[in-house]
Amino acid sequence: MKFQFENSFEVKEKILEKLVAILPIGAVEAHGPHLPLGTDNLLAERLSEKLAERVNAFVLPTLPYGQVWSLKDFPGSINVSNQSLIRFIVDIGKSLYHQGFKVFVMVNGHLGNSVAMKEAARELYEWNPELKVMYLFYPGTDQVVSEIRETPPSHRSYFHACEIETSYMLYLAPEFVNMKKAISDLPKIPFRADFTPTPWREFTQSAVLGDATLASAEKGEKVIRVALDHMVKLIEQAKEGN
Amino acid sequence: MKFQFENSFEVKEKILEKLVAILPIGAVEAHGPHLPLGTDNLLAERLSEKLAERVNAFVLPTLPYGQVWSLKDFPGSINVSNQSLIRFIVDIGKSLYHQGFKVFVMVNGHLGNSVAMKEAARELYEWNPELKVMYLFYPGTDQVVSEIRETPPSHRSYFHACEIETSYMLYLAPEFVNMKKAISDLPKIPFRADFTPTPWREFTQSAVLGDATLASAEKGEKVIRVALDHMVKLIEQAKEGN
Amino acid sequence: MKFQFENSFEVKEKILEKLVAILPIGAVEAHGPHLPLGTDNLLAERLSEKLAERVNAFVLPTLPYGQVWSLKDFPGSINVSNQSLIRFIVDIGKSLYHQGFKVFVMVNGHLGNSVAMKEAARELYEWNPELKVMYLFYPGTDQVVSEIRETPPSHRSYFHACEIETSYMLYLAPEFVNMKKAISDLPKIPFRADFTPTPWREFTQSAVLGDATLASAEKGEKVIRVALDHMVKLIEQAKEGN
Amino acid sequence: MKFQFENSFEVKEKILEKLVAILPIGAVEAHGPHLPLGTDNLLAERLSEKLAERVNAFVLPTLPYGQVWSLKDFPGSINVSNQSLIRFIVDIGKSLYHQGFKVFVMVNGHLGNSVAMKEAARELYEWNPELKVMYLFYPGTDQVVSEIRETPPSHRSYFHACEIETSYMLYLAPEFVNMKKAISDLPKIPFRADFTPTPWREFTQSAVLGDATLASAEKGEKVIRVALDHMVKLIEQAKEGN
Amino acid sequence: MKFQFENSFEVKEKILEKLVAILPIGAVEAHGPHLPLGTDNLLAERLSEKLAERVNAFVLPTLPYGQVWSLKDFPGSINVSNQSLIRFIVDIGKSLYHQGFKVFVMVNGHLGNSVAMKEAARELYEWNPELKVMYLFYPGTDQVVSEIRETPPSHRSYFHACEIETSYMLYLAPEFVNMKKAISDLPKIPFRADFTPTPWREFTQSAVLGDATLASAEKGEKVIRVALDHMVKLIEQAKEGN
Amino acid sequence: MKFQFENSFEVKEKILEKLVAILPIGAVEAHGPHLPLGTDNLLAERLSEKLAERVNAFVLPTLPYGQVWSLKDFPGSINVSNQSLIRFIVDIGKSLYHQGFKVFVMVNGHLGNSVAMKEAARELYEWNPELKVMYLFYPGTDQVVSEIRETPPSHRSYFHACEIETSYMLYLAPEFVNMKKAISDLPKIPFRADFTPTPWREFTQSAVLGDATLASAEKGEKVIRVALDHMVKLIEQAKEGN
């Protein structure tokens, strides 16, 4: 249920019944020729809706700007610093606690947000450990991803506008995918990229890290189901105070 | 046109043609029994879309959290501090300039954001005056508002969930208004409220500042048209470098 | 009574009797050919003294630097950022509370300080709502000003070195006014000035926003009396804990 | 000449002729039974006036709040943190440079401000070394002080409301001294006070560090003359670019 | 070569010849019964020395405090926040560039420092991309680690005071290891630990994540050699400007 | 005893027995041709070890970077800002308190760190006055220094790489002194250096402020003994809660 469509007179009771608020966080960032700039927003939002149904939670409005340092020179990317993101999330978290929520779940659509989300979660924990704060980026999907993928990953942790992410979109937001424009681009990410600041323009012109033409809704569904199952379990534990 | 639905391969050219980016900024805040918590987001977003059509601009994804200090104790309100908001907006503004935009228009749906928006605009001006930054909250509508309203305002500058704002919603986002629940509540705002920190709980329980039952789409349309005309003019001047 | 001329051995008792501290805040800023750079300091200080007599309060030393962004390019202006001003005021407020004051009244002589003063007041409120903090800029004078003025205002909220402000000076600090140099300058403030950062050099060379030659001590006295009456009432309410 | 009594139309030329701005910085702080809370403000201000005459400089309005950590628990003290003070001074310094000043002289009336003043001066130096920034606290007076004093100092660097400081007041601001109330109080400052945070309440109840009854205008004059001579020399060198 | 044992008269020439500065960064943190609190400092330092020999670089003094949030409640841990660490590293980096270094290599002995190091590296990159900044935590050793380990890892990315880290110590700093006290402790790290703030006290009492009794200098040497080879290659590329 | 060589299983008991943690803080800074860049680190560290033996305290790992603004342009100097240093020290202090320490002693090897250390100590005092924080830079040695020195000091408070500091090194770390390269350089420090930002390059090329050839281990020992005696006394008082 969308939190922002509730009204103030009735929402208190529902908060105390649901206890869980889900904040989708995405980004505006280059995603190749076949995916929109807002891909990470769409993924975070749609995934949050599915999750909310399963755990009877509220979905907050999507925070649609994230930390996109690596791709900030690409057309269309809008970058917000880790510090700005942390401050924003911490403010939201404190308000949620004051409103009566006990579990604050961030559903992340963009890997680059992970550092800010974890840091904000720790700051909130220091502020008040009673508020359970979670940062979720397709949890528990390493294995299923390695099973479904037909091409090797470009990088241990990055996936971007590729077979995998495009599959998520085909499952969650197919109306925004233009498979006719999908390309295969397997950049050679230099070893140093994990050890020194390396804007992605140094190794790709498309921002596609793999073979997007192999994407399918079926692949996307398989991974998302696993992710959702893990998310549900994590939230249920958190509601029980673990 | 929604910026986040563009793709990276085609967006550069369009940016250089349009030059104007519109950022709707709203809030999640109590708005009485008949309007949703996200009223200010809906208003900012819908108004931005109308404006974008008129000036051939891009609409960025809505920033859906704002500074709601006065109502932060009300059920459903989520508050972000002025400082957090300023940092976030400044980051976005710098990215927009790097992307090639020349005019950054913030369409504000919530009075409480005004201070942060103006401060961020000045900070961006100091950083680079070539980027024109605008902060617009129904500009130039004082007269038309005083003409259409059937009840006196509760306050010189505040209007909230009342005849006026409800009319905006009936015109711009009627599917989210429940007029059956609309009430008339004319709080006596104490004189001191302009001179000392005064949470609104001190003078209202409904967060409605007026008679919402008198709202109509016609009234809303009259004001919004005037606002839009002024916005269009301001943006056109800015594009010409004034 | 001037706080800084008290001595440490006797002041505690007086603080606990008076309970109210008044901080005049002004600015160093261009005020045309007939008024000194320190106009806002003189106004804030003299007004504070009159107020202190009425409410039996202490007057603190004037904070003589303010936020003068709009006029900072004019000869003689000295600008302090909102952030610096907020931090300074918050520190002072906390000390006042530790000293035993219950009401901290800022008497503002310069519109540009309003944002920082309100923000500082809210921060102090969050810190400890027992300290009542007030920010006063000629409160409750809209009507009397519109009655006494012979020329229309240049702007809805700005008045500067004009018929009005010069009248205040002629009443409160006449020895610093040189009426022989008073001029009439009615700039056309562009509509955009309320919506985009607009240094005043874009529309005035004199920094006079009106007809200063029409100023008189009588006009000044009329407005100041109304302002003082409102200030007295506000402070008395605050002392009673409202 | 007092800068704030100049007007904007004539001040530019004078700035470019004088080149030197003097900012008195004091404090509101307990100074025993015979001296007012604003002693450091009075000293900084009167000394600045004498200095301005000698070097043909402008005197800015006194910044009347300082860092009084050690005495902040004493009746009447108002404490501002080093950080707040630094930010405030840096802002003023930048404005002075933009206005055309080449030498920014801080005349300090309160030892506790020294750290913030030096830090601010270094920050301004990093920003633009063309602006010469000076922080002056009775420079070059060690010898003359040791000659005139009849009682040994309580501490190597502190002097407070004692024979010395009271003498300064008797010379510079005698109308604010009540010698009938002057006392002799020679606290034993513990050795640890230089090595661990030690509020002065741990070793004095009067805040007088010496024998104030031995103060005289003559003693004050002797020291102030030496201080002034050194200040004049320093400023003249700075004007010549050294 | 240890930078701090050089003298100022001869060091400039050597800097311009070597071009590379290595900063070991460790932590003071609980490491079980058999390893000292300073394990990460010893590892970072010894590894840096070996590296410096290979690439003809200077070794800077070890920064011996790091971010140890997860274990900060354990006896002996000293925690420094990410923000403090970032500021410190950025200052050092800027000085190194001013001194003539072209490559700034951080050799990390503690996983918890990774976020701060990467963030500082990016901040330095934005400041001046000419300075190459590297953050190295046993680079390129995933495979060799999986080959040598006899027990499965407790976690995908954490290793701590276990077979692996103890082996590093036995190779690099054996005099600080007490194998008689080595224990095997295989905690079940809950799935949630990657998704919500989880102090390690929730799943371990020893802070040992594995079987330390299986450690050997041979195992340590195998991994360290691979790490060193990768580090050498990365630095040589950086020196050539890649 | 070196804290970082303890292990987590045994350290808690020792902390509660010793109660005192000593943090050596030095710098990397030009020290003439005969002393290494790390002179201040060596002095702080060796002195801390001697002190720890006397008061049964733990010695923490040396913080080897300090504020070296005055000499930052000299070859080999690495500068850290006061703000960065303050944040780092405050974090360490809070951790020490959480670990059970009651006295946190900073042994300083570099005058330039004094401001940051005192400010950090005050911040910790405001946080929790139960933790006694000390900042020690050769306390109580003014008289003995003036007795042993054969040449007059260059400056009232600075001594650097001269007869005095070289003597400390000859006593505490002789293996790092190369007396063959020792020089005598008596710069004329301009009077203004105490009153305006003055990089030392303006008055010295060697960074030696005196006659290093007159240094001897005996002189060093005499001063260090006095310093140690004072330090011991201060710490014993602090342990007793004074």
mmCIF file with all atom_site columns, all heavy atoms in Angstrom, chain A residues 42-59:
data_model
loop_
_atom_site.group_PDB
_atom_site.id
_atom_site.type_symbol
_atom_site.label_atom_id
_atom_site.label_alt_id
_atom_site.label_comp_id
_atom_site.label_asym_id
_atom_site.label_entity_id
_atom_site.label_seq_id
_atom_site.pdbx_PDB_ins_code
_atom_site.Cartn_x
_atom_site.Cartn_y
_atom_site.Cartn_z
_atom_site.occupancy
_atom_site.B_iso_or_equiv
_atom_site.pdbx_formal_charge
_atom_site.auth_seq_id
_atom_site.auth_comp_id
_atom_site.auth_asym_id
_atom_site.auth_atom_id
_atom_site.pdbx_PDB_model_num
ATOM 1   N N   . LEU A 1 42 ? 12.577 2.395   -11.218 1.00 0.00 ? 42 LEU A N   1
ATOM 2   C CA  . LEU A 1 42 ? 11.475 1.494   -11.565 1.00 0.00 ? 42 LEU A CA  1
ATOM 3   C C   . LEU A 1 42 ? 11.636 0.155   -10.863 1.00 0.00 ? 42 LEU A C   1
ATOM 4   O O   . LEU A 1 42 ? 10.684 -0.403  -10.311 1.00 0.00 ? 42 LEU A O   1
ATOM 5   C CB  . LEU A 1 42 ? 11.438 1.309   -13.085 1.00 0.00 ? 42 LEU A CB  1
ATOM 6   C CG  . LEU A 1 42 ? 11.005 2.570   -13.849 1.00 0.00 ? 42 LEU A CG  1
ATOM 7   C CD1 . LEU A 1 42 ? 11.447 2.507   -15.298 1.00 0.00 ? 42 LEU A CD1 1
ATOM 8   C CD2 . LEU A 1 42 ? 9.481  2.728   -13.762 1.00 0.00 ? 42 LEU A CD2 1
ATOM 9   N N   . LEU A 1 43 ? 12.862 -0.364  -10.868 1.00 0.00 ? 43 LEU A N   1
ATOM 10  C CA  . LEU A 1 43 ? 13.106 -1.652  -10.223 1.00 0.00 ? 43 LEU A CA  1
ATOM 11  C C   . LEU A 1 43 ? 12.830 -1.577  -8.721  1.00 0.00 ? 43 LEU A C   1
ATOM 12  O O   . LEU A 1 43 ? 12.149 -2.434  -8.153  1.00 0.00 ? 43 LEU A O   1
ATOM 13  C CB  . LEU A 1 43 ? 14.542 -2.107  -10.479 1.00 0.00 ? 43 LEU A CB  1
ATOM 14  C CG  . LEU A 1 43 ? 14.864 -2.501  -11.928 1.00 0.00 ? 43 LEU A CG  1
ATOM 15  C CD1 . LEU A 1 43 ? 16.358 -2.799  -12.075 1.00 0.00 ? 43 LEU A CD1 1
ATOM 16  C CD2 . LEU A 1 43 ? 14.035 -3.705  -12.350 1.00 0.00 ? 43 LEU A CD2 1
ATOM 17  N N   . ALA A 1 44 ? 13.378 -0.544  -8.088  1.00 0.00 ? 44 ALA A N   1
ATOM 18  C CA  . ALA A 1 44 ? 13.206 -0.421  -6.639  1.00 0.00 ? 44 ALA A CA  1
ATOM 19  C C   . ALA A 1 44 ? 11.727 -0.286  -6.284  1.00 0.00 ? 44 ALA A C   1
ATOM 20  O O   . ALA A 1 44 ? 11.233 -0.875  -5.313  1.00 0.00 ? 44 ALA A O   1
ATOM 21  C CB  . ALA A 1 44 ? 13.994 0.783   -6.117  1.00 0.00 ? 44 ALA A CB  1
ATOM 22  N N   . GLU A 1 45 ? 11.022 0.455   -7.109  1.00 0.00 ? 45 GLU A N   1
ATOM 23  C CA  . GLU A 1 45 ? 9.614  0.727   -6.805  1.00 0.00 ? 45 GLU A CA  1
ATOM 24  C C   . GLU A 1 45 ? 8.736  -0.518  -7.014  1.00 0.00 ? 45 GLU A C   1
ATOM 25  O O   . GLU A 1 45 ? 7.935  -0.873  -6.152  1.00 0.00 ? 45 GLU A O   1
ATOM 26  C CB  . GLU A 1 45 ? 9.146  1.861   -7.717  1.00 0.00 ? 45 GLU A CB  1
ATOM 27  C CG  . GLU A 1 45 ? 7.908  2.545   -7.246  1.00 0.00 ? 45 GLU A CG  1
ATOM 28  C CD  . GLU A 1 45 ? 7.766  3.904   -7.908  1.00 0.00 ? 45 GLU A CD  1
ATOM 29  O OE1 . GLU A 1 45 ? 8.740  4.703   -7.884  1.00 0.00 ? 45 GLU A OE1 1
ATOM 30  O OE2 . GLU A 1 45 ? 6.700  4.163   -8.487  1.00 0.00 ? 45 GLU A OE2 1
ATOM 31  N N   . ARG A 1 46 ? 8.906  -1.148  -8.115  1.00 0.00 ? 46 ARG A N   1
ATOM 32  C CA  . ARG A 1 46 ? 8.078  -2.322  -8.407  1.00 0.00 ? 46 ARG A CA  1
ATOM 33  C C   . ARG A 1 46 ? 8.383  -3.473  -7.431  1.00 0.00 ? 46 ARG A C   1
ATOM 34  O O   . ARG A 1 46 ? 7.497  -4.181  -6.982  1.00 0.00 ? 46 ARG A O   1
ATOM 35  C CB  . ARG A 1 46 ? 8.323  -2.797  -9.852  1.00 0.00 ? 46 ARG A CB  1
ATOM 36  C CG  . ARG A 1 46 ? 8.034  -1.742  -10.905 1.00 0.00 ? 46 ARG A CG  1
ATOM 37  C CD  . ARG A 1 46 ? 6.583  -1.733  -11.338 1.00 0.00 ? 46 ARG A CD  1
ATOM 38  N NE  . ARG A 1 46 ? 6.250  -0.543  -12.112 1.00 0.00 ? 46 ARG A NE  1
ATOM 39  C CZ  . ARG A 1 46 ? 6.099  -0.517  -13.451 1.00 0.00 ? 46 ARG A CZ  1
ATOM 40  N NH1 . ARG A 1 46 ? 6.262  -1.615  -14.169 1.00 0.00 ? 46 ARG A NH1 1
ATOM 41  N NH2 . ARG A 1 46 ? 5.772  0.616   -14.059 1.00 0.00 ? 46 ARG A NH2 1
ATOM 42  N N   . LEU A 1 47 ? 9.653  -3.621  -7.144  1.00 0.00 ? 47 LEU A N   1
ATOM 43  C CA  . LEU A 1 47 ? 10.046 -4.664  -6.200  1.00 0.00 ? 47 LEU A CA  1
ATOM 44  C C   . LEU A 1 47 ? 9.465  -4.367  -4.816  1.00 0.00 ? 47 LEU A C   1
ATOM 45  O O   . LEU A 1 47 ? 8.972  -5.263  -4.119  1.00 0.00 ? 47 LEU A O   1
ATOM 46  C CB  . LEU A 1 47 ? 11.571 -4.726  -6.155  1.00 0.00 ? 47 LEU A CB  1
ATOM 47  C CG  . LEU A 1 47 ? 12.237 -5.849  -5.390  1.00 0.00 ? 47 LEU A CG  1
ATOM 48  C CD1 . LEU A 1 47 ? 11.691 -7.211  -5.800  1.00 0.00 ? 47 LEU A CD1 1
ATOM 49  C CD2 . LEU A 1 47 ? 13.744 -5.804  -5.634  1.00 0.00 ? 47 LEU A CD2 1
ATOM 50  N N   . SER A 1 48 ? 9.483  -3.102  -4.446  1.00 0.00 ? 48 SER A N   1
ATOM 51  C CA  . SER A 1 48 ? 8.935  -2.708  -3.144  1.00 0.00 ? 48 SER A CA  1
ATOM 52  C C   . SER A 1 48 ? 7.452  -3.017  -3.063  1.00 0.00 ? 48 SER A C   1
ATOM 53  O O   . SER A 1 48 ? 6.940  -3.450  -2.021  1.00 0.00 ? 48 SER A O   1
ATOM 54  C CB  . SER A 1 48 ? 9.171  -1.209  -2.915  1.00 0.00 ? 48 SER A CB  1
ATOM 55  O OG  . SER A 1 48 ? 10.535 -0.938  -2.793  1.00 0.00 ? 48 SER A OG  1
ATOM 56  N N   . GLU A 1 49 ? 6.757  -2.807  -4.158  1.00 0.00 ? 49 GLU A N   1
ATOM 57  C CA  . GLU A 1 49 ? 5.319  -3.078  -4.145  1.00 0.00 ? 49 GLU A CA  1
ATOM 58  C C   . GLU A 1 49 ? 5.045  -4.568  -3.934  1.00 0.00 ? 49 GLU A C   1
ATOM 59  O O   . GLU A 1 49 ? 4.171  -4.948  -3.155  1.00 0.00 ? 49 GLU A O   1
ATOM 60  C CB  . GLU A 1 49 ? 4.679  -2.585  -5.438  1.00 0.00 ? 49 GLU A CB  1
ATOM 61  C CG  . GLU A 1 49 ? 4.512  -1.072  -5.439  1.00 0.00 ? 49 GLU A CG  1
ATOM 62  C CD  . GLU A 1 49 ? 4.359  -0.505  -6.836  1.00 0.00 ? 49 GLU A CD  1
ATOM 63  O OE1 . GLU A 1 49 ? 4.085  -1.283  -7.772  1.00 0.00 ? 49 GLU A OE1 1
ATOM 64  O OE2 . GLU A 1 49 ? 4.535  0.728   -6.993  1.00 0.00 ? 49 GLU A OE2 1
ATOM 65  N N   . LYS A 1 50 ? 5.799  -5.381  -4.654  1.00 0.00 ? 50 LYS A N   1
ATOM 66  C CA  . LYS A 1 50 ? 5.628  -6.826  -4.458  1.00 0.00 ? 50 LYS A CA  1
ATOM 67  C C   . LYS A 1 50 ? 5.946  -7.234  -3.018  1.00 0.00 ? 50 LYS A C   1
ATOM 68  O O   . LYS A 1 50 ? 5.244  -8.043  -2.413  1.00 0.00 ? 50 LYS A O   1
ATOM 69  C CB  . LYS A 1 50 ? 6.529  -7.606  -5.424  1.00 0.00 ? 50 LYS A CB  1
ATOM 70  C CG  . LYS A 1 50 ? 6.026  -7.608  -6.862  1.00 0.00 ? 50 LYS A CG  1
ATOM 71  C CD  . LYS A 1 50 ? 6.872  -8.532  -7.730  1.00 0.00 ? 50 LYS A CD  1
ATOM 72  C CE  . LYS A 1 50 ? 6.448  -8.444  -9.189  1.00 0.00 ? 50 LYS A CE  1
ATOM 73  N NZ  . LYS A 1 50 ? 5.090  -9.010  -9.430  1.00 0.00 ? 50 LYS A NZ  1
ATOM 74  N N   . LEU A 1 51 ? 7.000  -6.648  -2.520  1.00 0.00 ? 51 LEU A N   1
ATOM 75  C CA  . LEU A 1 51 ? 7.406  -6.976  -1.155  1.00 0.00 ? 51 LEU A CA  1
ATOM 76  C C   . LEU A 1 51 ? 6.337  -6.547  -0.146  1.00 0.00 ? 51 LEU A C   1
ATOM 77  O O   . LEU A 1 51 ? 6.006  -7.279  0.793   1.00 0.00 ? 51 LEU A O   1
ATOM 78  C CB  . LEU A 1 51 ? 8.747  -6.295  -0.841  1.00 0.00 ? 51 LEU A CB  1
ATOM 79  C CG  . LEU A 1 51 ? 9.306  -6.494  0.552   1.00 0.00 ? 51 LEU A CG  1
ATOM 80  C CD1 . LEU A 1 51 ? 9.573  -7.972  0.835   1.00 0.00 ? 51 LEU A CD1 1
ATOM 81  C CD2 . LEU A 1 51 ? 10.607 -5.704  0.720   1.00 0.00 ? 51 LEU A CD2 1
ATOM 82  N N   . ALA A 1 52 ? 5.819  -5.354  -0.350  1.00 0.00 ? 52 ALA A N   1
ATOM 83  C CA  . ALA A 1 52 ? 4.828  -4.810  0.587   1.00 0.00 ? 52 ALA A CA  1
ATOM 84  C C   . ALA A 1 52 ? 3.607  -5.713  0.681   1.00 0.00 ? 52 ALA A C   1
ATOM 85  O O   . ALA A 1 52 ? 3.042  -5.921  1.758   1.00 0.00 ? 52 ALA A O   1
ATOM 86  C CB  . ALA A 1 52 ? 4.438  -3.403  0.163   1.00 0.00 ? 52 ALA A CB  1
ATOM 87  N N   . GLU A 1 53 ? 3.208  -6.236  -0.452  1.00 0.00 ? 53 GLU A N   1
ATOM 88  C CA  . GLU A 1 53 ? 2.062  -7.158  -0.429  1.00 0.00 ? 53 GLU A CA  1
ATOM 89  C C   . GLU A 1 53 ? 2.360  -8.375  0.430   1.00 0.00 ? 53 GLU A C   1
ATOM 90  O O   . GLU A 1 53 ? 1.506  -8.848  1.172   1.00 0.00 ? 53 GLU A O   1
ATOM 91  C CB  . GLU A 1 53 ? 1.744  -7.624  -1.846  1.00 0.00 ? 53 GLU A CB  1
ATOM 92  C CG  . GLU A 1 53 ? 0.891  -6.658  -2.622  1.00 0.00 ? 53 GLU A CG  1
ATOM 93  C CD  . GLU A 1 53 ? 0.756  -7.116  -4.061  1.00 0.00 ? 53 GLU A CD  1
ATOM 94  O OE1 . GLU A 1 53 ? 0.744  -8.330  -4.315  1.00 0.00 ? 53 GLU A OE1 1
ATOM 95  O OE2 . GLU A 1 53 ? 0.706  -6.225  -4.942  1.00 0.00 ? 53 GLU A OE2 1
ATOM 96  N N   . ARG A 1 54 ? 3.565  -8.883  0.293   1.00 0.00 ? 54 ARG A N   1
ATOM 97  C CA  . ARG A 1 54 ? 3.910  -10.108 1.031   1.00 0.00 ? 54 ARG A CA  1
ATOM 98  C C   . ARG A 1 54 ? 4.014  -9.880  2.538   1.00 0.00 ? 54 ARG A C   1
ATOM 99  O O   . ARG A 1 54 ? 3.689  -10.770 3.319   1.00 0.00 ? 54 ARG A O   1
ATOM 100 C CB  . ARG A 1 54 ? 5.255  -10.657 0.510   1.00 0.00 ? 54 ARG A CB  1
ATOM 101 C CG  . ARG A 1 54 ? 5.259  -11.060 -0.962  1.00 0.00 ? 54 ARG A CG  1
ATOM 102 C CD  . ARG A 1 54 ? 4.979  -12.538 -1.168  1.00 0.00 ? 54 ARG A CD  1
ATOM 103 N NE  . ARG A 1 54 ? 5.845  -13.397 -0.392  1.00 0.00 ? 54 ARG A NE  1
ATOM 104 C CZ  . ARG A 1 54 ? 6.915  -14.045 -0.861  1.00 0.00 ? 54 ARG A CZ  1
ATOM 105 N NH1 . ARG A 1 54 ? 7.264  -13.911 -2.143  1.00 0.00 ? 54 ARG A NH1 1
ATOM 106 N NH2 . ARG A 1 54 ? 7.616  -14.831 -0.083  1.00 0.00 ? 54 ARG A NH2 1
ATOM 107 N N   . VAL A 1 55 ? 4.503  -8.700  2.936   1.00 0.00 ? 55 VAL A N   1
ATOM 108 C CA  . VAL A 1 55 ? 4.737  -8.500  4.377   1.00 0.00 ? 55 VAL A CA  1
ATOM 109 C C   . VAL A 1 55 ? 3.783  -7.483  4.998   1.00 0.00 ? 55 VAL A C   1
ATOM 110 O O   . VAL A 1 55 ? 3.973  -7.071  6.137   1.00 0.00 ? 55 VAL A O   1
ATOM 111 C CB  . VAL A 1 55 ? 6.199  -8.071  4.654   1.00 0.00 ? 55 VAL A CB  1
ATOM 112 C CG1 . VAL A 1 55 ? 7.165  -9.168  4.233   1.00 0.00 ? 55 VAL A CG1 1
ATOM 113 C CG2 . VAL A 1 55 ? 6.529  -6.756  3.965   1.00 0.00 ? 55 VAL A CG2 1
ATOM 114 N N   . ASN A 1 56 ? 2.769  -7.085  4.255   1.00 0.00 ? 56 ASN A N   1
ATOM 115 C CA  . ASN A 1 56 ? 1.774  -6.155  4.772   1.00 0.00 ? 56 ASN A CA  1
ATOM 116 C C   . ASN A 1 56 ? 2.428  -4.860  5.259   1.00 0.00 ? 56 ASN A C   1
ATOM 117 O O   . ASN A 1 56 ? 2.253  -4.439  6.402   1.00 0.00 ? 56 ASN A O   1
ATOM 118 C CB  . ASN A 1 56 ? 0.972  -6.803  5.902   1.00 0.00 ? 56 ASN A CB  1
ATOM 119 C CG  . ASN A 1 56 ? -0.182 -5.905  6.343   1.00 0.00 ? 56 ASN A CG  1
ATOM 120 O OD1 . ASN A 1 56 ? -0.658 -5.074  5.568   1.00 0.00 ? 56 ASN A OD1 1
ATOM 121 N ND2 . ASN A 1 56 ? -0.609 -6.050  7.591   1.00 0.00 ? 56 ASN A ND2 1
ATOM 122 N N   . ALA A 1 57 ? 3.207  -4.236  4.390   1.00 0.00 ? 57 ALA A N   1
ATOM 123 C CA  . ALA A 1 57 ? 3.934  -3.028  4.765   1.00 0.00 ? 57 ALA A CA  1
ATOM 124 C C   . ALA A 1 57 ? 3.455  -1.835  3.954   1.00 0.00 ? 57 ALA A C   1
ATOM 125 O O   . ALA A 1 57 ? 2.753  -1.976  2.957   1.00 0.00 ? 57 ALA A O   1
ATOM 126 C CB  . ALA A 1 57 ? 5.428  -3.239  4.524   1.00 0.00 ? 57 ALA A CB  1
ATOM 127 N N   . PHE A 1 58 ? 3.869  -0.678  4.403   1.00 0.00 ? 58 PHE A N   1
ATOM 128 C CA  . PHE A 1 58 ? 3.648  0.531   3.616   1.00 0.00 ? 58 PHE A CA  1
ATOM 129 C C   . PHE A 1 58 ? 4.834  0.768   2.676   1.00 0.00 ? 58 PHE A C   1
ATOM 130 O O   . PHE A 1 58 ? 5.990  0.560   3.073   1.00 0.00 ? 58 PHE A O   1
ATOM 131 C CB  . PHE A 1 58 ? 3.537  1.756   4.529   1.00 0.00 ? 58 PHE A CB  1
ATOM 132 C CG  . PHE A 1 58 ? 2.140  2.071   4.965   1.00 0.00 ? 58 PHE A CG  1
ATOM 133 C CD1 . PHE A 1 58 ? 1.842  2.273   6.301   1.00 0.00 ? 58 PHE A CD1 1
ATOM 134 C CD2 . PHE A 1 58 ? 1.118  2.192   4.033   1.00 0.00 ? 58 PHE A CD2 1
ATOM 135 C CE1 . PHE A 1 58 ? 0.546  2.584   6.710   1.00 0.00 ? 58 PHE A CE1 1
ATOM 136 C CE2 . PHE A 1 58 ? -0.182 2.509   4.435   1.00 0.00 ? 58 PHE A CE2 1
ATOM 137 C CZ  . PHE A 1 58 ? -0.458 2.692   5.762   1.00 0.00 ? 58 PHE A CZ  1
ATOM 138 N N   . VAL A 1 59 ? 4.535  1.224   1.467   1.00 0.00 ? 59 VAL A N   1
ATOM 139 C CA  . VAL A 1 59 ? 5.599  1.662   0.560   1.00 0.00 ? 59 VAL A CA  1
ATOM 140 C C   . VAL A 1 59 ? 5.653  3.182   0.565   1.00 0.00 ? 59 VAL A C   1
ATOM 141 O O   . VAL A 1 59 ? 4.652  3.846   0.279   1.00 0.00 ? 59 VAL A O   1
ATOM 142 C CB  . VAL A 1 59 ? 5.376  1.168   -0.882  1.00 0.00 ? 59 VAL A CB  1
ATOM 143 C CG1 . VAL A 1 59 ? 6.480  1.677   -1.800  1.00 0.00 ? 59 VAL A CG1 1
ATOM 144 C CG2 . VAL A 1 59 ? 5.319  -0.349  -0.916  1.00 0.00 ? 59 VAL A CG2 1
#
